[in-house]
Amino acid sequence: KAGVTQTPRYLIKTRGQQVTLSCSPISGHRSVSWYQQTPGQGLQFLFEYFSETQRNKGNFPGRFSGRQFSNSRSEMNVSTLELGDSALYLCASSPVSVAVANRVGYGYTFGSGTRLTVV
Amino acid sequence: GNSVTQMEGPVTLSEEAFLTINCTYTATGYPSLFWYVQYPGEGLQLLLKATKADDKGSNKGFEATYRKETTSFHLEKGSVQVSDSAVYFCALSRTLIGGTSYGKLTFGQGTILTVHP
């Protein structure tokens, strides 16, 4: 079956612009999480959606936002881009609610990421 | 808060050598522990997991045992291959007493492994 699909794979934006990244989870998966990966900070949690509701949010400024649609596809948006937003953005999906996933130790399936470069 | 500490890298080994990557954690409640692997240009893949103390996760020759007394989850492999060259991440997810849980993984900084023929 198809894995987690993230589009686009690469993106170059100018400081001050905004960007929207897309994530299509594995069919049947209802939970989608987003992570930012940078050489300096490593992997940091952005937010998590389940059944179109944001369930958890990391320590990022309000410029970072997201949403989930009824088909479980998710988008994240970054407004007023800064140079420091350059990173690999990873999306992960899980078939069950996060409460169940964590209780049984279900690892999430990650996409290949979107490489965002802000110039 | 939760945190995961991995051994400093990079780690360079010859093929068929024994591998250990250390991982220790700090968390309240009863975390589940994971090892993820990231190959160049790709996302993360779940390598193995353990959900409670003394559980051993294993996959593709890799093993890790959940040690609550030492708060550790060290990754081991008896004989590495060139194809094992990648970045390895230790991670935890937390479940509190009473079932409240959080939908995020807390990752270590990652350890770069390079295996030479």
Side-chain angles (χ1 to χ4, degrees):
Chain A
K1 58 181 177 182
V4 178
T5 303
Q6 291 189 247
T7 57
R9 284 298 305 274
Y10 302 93
L11 205 50
I12 299 175
K13 289 287 188 179
T14 304
R15 196 169 38 177
Q17 286 186 311
Q18 75 164 20
V19 67
T20 299
L21 311 182
S22 178
C23 172
S24 293
I26 291 173
S27 179
H29 283 201
R30 295 166 62 193
S31 173
V32 173
S33 303
W34 289 88
Y35 292 81
Q36 181 195 64
Q37 185 178 23
T38 59
Q41 298 298 316
L43 281 152
Q44 294 188 292
F45 172 77
L46 279 156
F47 26 65
E48 183 237 341
Y49 287 88
F50 181 77
S51 294
E52 302 178 64
T53 302
Q54 188 181 87
R55 292 297 184 93
N56 204 355
K57 192 176 191 302
N59 296 323
F60 278 82
R63 300 186 296 108
F64 291 81
S65 63
R67 59 178 175 169
Q68 186 180 33
F69 302 94
S70 58
N71 61 357
S72 294
R73 189 177 71 86
S74 178
E75 290 181 346
M76 67 162 283
N77 183 275
V78 187
S79 62
T80 320
L81 283 166
E82 300 177 0
L83 296 179
D85 296 333
S86 295
L88 179 67
Y89 289 88
L90 292 166
C91 161
S93 76
S94 170
V96 298
S97 72
V98 297
V100 175
N102 288 346
R103 191 160 60 242
V104 301
Y106 191 96
Y108 306 101
T109 302
F110 282 81
S112 297
T114 293
R115 172 75 63 186
L116 172 65
T117 302
V118 182
V119 298
Chain B
N2 297 336
S3 66
V4 176
T5 303
Q6 290 183 232
M7 64 184 290
E8 294 289 331
V11 175
T12 302
L13 296 172
S14 297
E15 205 165 27
E16 299 184 2
F18 184 85
L19 168 71
T20 298
I21 300 178
N22 290 339
C23 170
T24 56
Y25 67 90
T26 301
T28 56
Y30 304 97
S32 295
L33 301 173
F34 307 86
W35 277 100
Y36 280 86
V37 58
Q38 186 176 34
Y39 298 100
E42 298 184 13
L44 279 70
Q45 299 177 24
L46 177 64
L47 183 59
L48 52 85
K49 64 187 180 190
T51 60
K52 60 184 186 298
D54 300 325
D55 265 2
K56 176 185 281 188
S58 62
N59 185 28
K60 299 181 182 179
F62 291 90
E63 293 183 339
T65 301
Y66 188 147
R67 301 287 187 199
K68 191 170 173 62
E69 64 276 13
T70 55
T71 61
S72 65
F73 193 55
H74 305 321
L75 182 68
E76 297 182 336
K77 187 175 185 182
S79 176
V80 294
Q81 305 300 312
V82 173
S83 57
D84 293 327
S85 298
V87 183
Y88 291 81
F89 292 91
C90 185
L92 69 81
S93 67
R94 184 169 63 124
T95 301
L96 297 179
I97 297 173
T100 303
S101 60
Y102 295 84
K104 73 171 187 177
L105 294 166
T106 299
F107 288 91
Q109 284 297 101
T111 300
I112 300 172
L113 170 66
T114 303
V115 180
H116 293 297

